[in-house]
Amino acid sequence: MAELSKRERMAMSRTQMPTRDPAGRAATFDEVNLGFNTGLAVLEASRCLNCKRATCVEGCPVGVRIDAFVAHVAAGDISAAAAVVRDDNALPGVCGRVCPQEAQCEGACVLGNRGRPIAIGHLERFVADWALDHDEAPEATPPTGKRVAVVGSGPAGLACAGDLARAGHEVTVFEALHEIGGVLVYGIPQFRLPKDIVAAEVERLGSLGVSFETDVLVGPAVSLEELRDEEGYDAVFVGTGAGLPRFPGIPGEDLIGVYSANEFLTRVNLMKAFDPGAETPVYDLAGRPVVVLGGGNTAMDAARTALRLGGDPVTVLYRRTDAEMPARAEEVAHAREEGVDFRFLVSPIEFRGDDGWLGSVVVQAMELGEPDEWGRARPMPIDGMTEDVACDVAIVAIGNQPNPILAKATPGLETTARGTVVVDPETGATSIPGVFAGGDIASGGATVILALAAGRAAAAAIDAWLGADPS
Amino acid sequence: MEHGFPIRDLTPIADGVVRCVVEAPRVARHALPGQFVIVRVDVGGERIPLTVSDLDEPSGTITLVVQAIGASTQRLAAKRPGETLADVLGPLGAATEIEPYGRVVVVAGGVGAAIALPVARALAGAGNEVVGVVGARTRDALVLIDEMGSVCDQLLVCTDDGSAGRHGLVTDALSDLLDEGGVDHVFTVGPIPMMSAVAELTRSAAIPTVASLNPIMVDGTGMCGGCRVRVGEETKFACVDGPDFDAHLVDFELLATRNRAYRVFEQCRMAELADG
Ligand SMILES: Cc1cc2nc3c(=O)[nH]c(=O)nc-3n(C[C@H](O)[C@H](O)[C@H](O)COP(=O)(O)OP(=O)(O)OC[C@H]3O[C@@H](n4cnc5c(N)ncnc54)[C@H](O)[C@@H]3O)c2cc1C
Ligand SMILES: Cc1cc2nc3c(=O)[nH]c(=O)nc-3n(C[C@H](O)[C@H](O)[C@H](O)COP(=O)(O)OP(=O)(O)OC[C@H]3O[C@@H](n4cnc5c(N)ncnc54)[C@H](O)[C@@H]3O)c2cc1C
Ligand code: SF4
Ligand code: SF4
Ligand code: FES
């Protein structure tokens, strides 16, 4: 493409991501976004102004050199773009798909104030997918002879393992479940993040020399002390993530038909309950009313999954308004297009049912009051205004607490009152020397990219610690 | 990826019940009485909870005693030594609290005897006088009678049809023991109506009673909340807070209801299995 002037670039509109048709896609688990082809990617990248002060980079929690990689894409050199992206982001194919870009890189792009930020996420995804198809084996680093155990295979653990392996350390990832990936495999659905993308990233780590042991619940099955004293690990990274789903604590929440989003999504994603031949059941949703409680990404995933299993209607009940929903903008838009209904300013107060089975949820009407300590308007009940909403299944997506098992089994590992592991924010160092932690287990429920950043920071700190460690 | 947990031995020990000895060294090293594992019999299969009935640390094996009542347990029962179980995750759950209570009655129904055995053994080891009460439908469905007999100071066997031991329910035997007096503690595991009936008997006698619950589970690591049970005024996750709970506070009716949630699905799977 001929060199464009700044003015011409600014006049171009944002390249649309090709998507599957909403009507058809709501019946399948195939990925909704189809991805850019090279032509679309080059077109979109050519809009970038290559700002001197690239504010987009400041908006990315891991500082991906967006200006550099986008320029390579614009020049048609995808391989060079891939090298930049790979260097800065351990899981670019994942982040390109699931980061809340509008609040991060794209939110900080100078073109954003005209409503047309560069589609950085879509470009990152394009480059990452291209790289997976054109991957060369990563070069091996001379071994240091040091061994590191990584506990938990979510984004924090995977990112940490990758950097440590590249530094020449021998890394084993221990995972409790039977598959590697954490929330990326049991939580985020196929139609948003295909499982082969995660598998390819995991395979890449394998080719870097990372070993994986599934079916190991560290703590009960092997203590941190045993990993160090008997299995010869010199350091440990804890990336055990969020577990323990929260329930609203209202009458009837034990009725059959009330699922936590974790259980519902695990049954469908990890255990493949969407497949008619699967052995793990999920309640039959076909033609039945489903409600989802919450307004985050988990709620959107649950609602869109319920829709794909035939739920009719599927309604998201959220206690604030549209504007306060924490979910990614793209997910909310996709959910709407597919036919998910939204009801705002309602909060559940009771589940009702017959014979142990859910029949409806009573909701309390709310209004927005004074801002809370985070500056978000606090929802307040409107006296006397309640309503009975019929539903056969209710999916609760109001957050998780940290997984407590490892901390419980590890004396000396300091935790907060909320149950998160206490860490040095720079290094991830915990109260136990040689034990580092990061991701949701330290921050509380956050995002893939923040977990990844924490894993990488800890890897650097572990590398330094191992270098300094005389033993 | 070559993966799996080799089966060392698999033997039928009663009508529809097999004993499976499987290599799971990390579990064998750490499991305590009352803890369980989550098993996937085959890749693609569902995750089912099974109690660690026995273990041998030197050989790295654990023993599971499994009643083949549904699709997954039947697949497990049809395995042969030398084959593998795809996944064995554990030890899970909190161990049974073992203390010197005094005279303890361990009441087990059906395959519950397999769960009761390591508990009875540990209770005896802690200096308790252990009375075992083991029941089943019929003689051929009794499991681990010899083993229970060898760890209990006294063993009472009951069958519904009178084909072995006392003709009657375990609760009849328990009732007599309570009338005799001197019972300090009760541990019970088995079908839900049985545990519920045991709890009713000991409630009026005000004897502390612990029941080992068997809700439907998925991950077994506290992540999904599917195993929640109602205990007193609280919701508990059986896989991390249990499976043992104060039997006098457990809502058994709710547990029974929740365990029926997938009945239709399970029956379809069984029918498919029968059709081959
Ligand atoms: C449904 C859903 C949708 C989401 N959507 C988005 C999104 O669109 N964008 C975004 O940025 N974020 C999203 N998030 C949040 C994001 O997924 C998490 O913040 C992120 O996965 C945290 O990563 P982690 O590595 O800390 O832990 P996790 O991904 O939670 O992984 C932890 C892993 O550790 C394992 N584990 C736990 N304890 C042990 C133990 N003792 N021994 C061995 N293994 C153990 C667990 O089984 C798990 O596999 C979503 C979350 C959910 C649930
Ligand atoms: C902590 C714990 C420990 C257990 N230990 C043992 C053990 O040592 N040996 C053993 O044989 N079984 C044990 N169970 C029960 C075992 O997990 C179930 O029998 C098994 O999951 C059934 O799977 P299935 O696919 O073969 O049967 P399904 O087709 O799933 O079910 C067949 C029938 O069993 C009922 N059922 C389903 N799940 C359970 C359950 N969790 N408990 C009881 N009934 C159920 C169903 O309602 C149905 O009627 C334990 C359960 C728990 C929670
Ligand atoms: S990692 Fe996330 S925030 Fe950073 S550039 Fe990529 S999509 Fe944007
Ligand atoms: S801020 Fe926007 S226009 Fe400027 S370099 Fe970054 S992506 Fe390009
Ligand atoms: S089985 Fe999932 S929380 Fe207990």
Side-chain angles (χ1 to χ4, degrees), chain A residues 102-129:
Chain A
E102 68 274 15
Q104 300 179 354
C105 51
E106 294 180 22
C109 169
V110 294
L111 295 173
N113 56 18
R114 313 173 107 239
R116 290 184 292 211
I118 300 295
I120 299 167
H122 294 160
L123 286 173
E124 187 169 351
R125 167 205 159 130
F126 165 76
V127 170
D129 288 0

Side-chain angles (χ1 to χ4, degrees), chain A residues 98 152 154-156 175-176 182-183 192 216 218 239-241 297-298 301 440 446-448:
Chain A
V98 307
E175 168 57 49
V183 171
R192 198 147 77 81
V216 184
V218 175
T240 47
N297 286 319
T298 309
D301 285 345
D440 281 4
T447 59
V448 169

Side-chain angles (χ1 to χ4, degrees), chain A residues 26-410:
Chain A
T28 81
F29 280 81
D30 297 336
E31 191 178 15
V32 167
N33 284 343
L34 297 170
F36 284 162
N37 58 24
T38 309
L40 289 177
V42 172
L43 180 69
E44 177 63 9
S46 65
R47 285 204 304 128
C48 173
L49 306 178
N50 248 304
C51 306
K52 272 220 177 60
R53 181 176 153 229
T55 47
C56 52
V57 178
E58 295 164 26
C60 169
V62 295
V64 168
R65 283 165 293 153
I66 297 159
D67 47 341
F69 100 75
V70 173
H72 286 308
V73 176
D77 188 352
I78 314 301
S79 172
V84 174
V85 165
R86 275 265 184 239
D87 235 20
D88 292 349
N89 186 347
L91 299 171
V94 175
C95 292
R97 288 173 168 84
V98 307
C99 265
Q101 285 93 7
E102 68 274 15
Q104 300 179 354
C105 51
E106 294 180 22
C109 169
V110 294
L111 295 173
N113 56 18
R114 313 173 107 239
R116 290 184 292 211
I118 300 295
I120 299 167
H122 294 160
L123 286 173
E124 187 169 351
R125 167 205 159 130
F126 165 76
V127 170
D129 288 0
W130 181 94
L132 280 181
D133 290 340
H134 297 79
D135 250 350
E136 291 130 45
E139 72 242 53
T141 318
T144 61
K146 301 281 185 182
R147 306 181 70 211
V148 185
V150 169
V151 185
S153 68
L158 293 180
C160 186
D163 279 8
L164 288 168
R166 263 184 291 271
H169 305 303
E170 190 185 327
V171 184
T172 307
V173 176
F174 295 95
E175 168 57 49
L177 294 175
H178 59 262
E179 265 180 45
I180 297 296
V183 171
L184 308 182
V185 293
Y186 78 71
I188 302 180
Q190 182 83 1
F191 55 81
R192 198 147 77 81
L193 179 63
K195 298 308 151 222
D196 50 353
I197 299 289
V198 182
E201 298 284 3
V202 170
E203 204 172 298
R204 204 181 142 81
L205 289 178
S207 64
L208 278 169
V210 175
S211 337
F212 294 94
E213 201 181 325
T214 49
D215 298 323
V216 184
L217 188 64
V218 175
V222 55
S223 67
L224 295 187
E225 210 174 290
E226 287 165 343
L227 284 176
R228 189 187 60 204
D229 296 346
E230 295 171 29
E231 302 198 15
Y233 290 98
D234 302 293
V236 177
F237 175 75
V238 175
T240 47
L244 282 185
R246 284 205 191 93
F247 285 90
I250 59 175
E253 64 190 24
D254 297 319
L255 288 166
I256 301 176
V258 181
Y259 271 132
S260 75
N262 276 7
E263 180 179 2
F264 177 66
L265 292 171
T266 298
R267 285 180 178 274
V268 179
N269 296 328
L270 184 69
M271 308 309 295
K272 316 272 183 270
F274 62 84
D275 176 351
E279 292 191 16
T280 300
V282 66
Y283 305 138
D284 182 5
L285 303 190
R288 295 169 191 254
V290 178
V291 300
V292 176
L293 310 179
N297 286 319
T298 309
M300 296 309 117
D301 285 345
R304 297 172 69 200
T305 299
L307 204 67
R308 283 163 172 73
L309 295 176
D312 185 20
V314 175
T315 311
V316 171
L317 304 177
Y318 182 53
R319 61 198 186 117
R320 293 187 167 90
T321 70
D322 214 345
E324 286 86 21
M325 274 203 298
R328 293 179 77 225
E330 188 180 32
E331 304 323 321
V332 178
H334 281 168
R336 282 214 165 91
E337 282 168 26
E338 288 164 10
V340 172
D341 292 333
F342 287 82
R343 298 249 343 240
F344 297 107
L345 293 167
V346 284
S347 178
I349 53 173
E350 183 183 350
F351 294 109
R352 292 192 177 153
D354 280 325
D355 266 354
W357 290 79
L358 180 68
S360 69
V361 57
V362 183
V363 296
Q364 160 77 58
M366 312 293 280
E367 62 190 348
L368 289 185
E370 295 296 304
D372 60 16
E373 66 261 44
W374 316 103
R376 284 207 305 179
R378 204 192 299 268
M380 310 290 287
I382 307 173
D383 262 356
M385 280 188 58
T386 63
E387 188 192 333
D388 210 13
V389 180
C391 56
D392 287 357
V393 171
I395 304 166
V396 177
I398 58 171
N400 301 294
Q401 287 159 277
N403 190 314
I405 292 177
L406 180 62
K408 246 200 241 167
T410 312

Side-chain angles (χ1 to χ4, degrees), chain B residues 34-134:
Chain B
Q35 289 190 300
F36 63 96
V37 290
I38 290 269
V39 167
R40 273 202 324 162
V41 177
D42 297 302
V43 170
E46 65 177 334
R47 298 168 65 94
I48 58 168
L50 296 167
T51 304
V52 179
S53 178
D54 204 351
L55 52 80
D56 182 51
E57 206 194 317
S59 67
T61 57
I62 60 170
T63 300
L64 308 173
V65 174
V66 186
Q67 185 176 20
I69 52 161
S72 303
T73 45
Q74 289 193 353
R75 279 205 182 86
L76 193 158
K79 290 268 176 186
R80 295 285 157 260
E83 295 181 333
T84 58
L85 297 179
D87 302 278
V88 178
L89 166 69
L92 303 174
T96 301
E97 270 180 47
I98 305 294
E99 295 198 9
Y101 299 105
R103 188 157 185 253
V104 183
V105 182
V106 173
V107 187
V111 76
I115 299 169
L117 177 64
V119 173
R121 187 182 288 133
L123 284 167
N128 291 286
E129 181 193 340
V130 181
V131 182
V133 179
V134 181

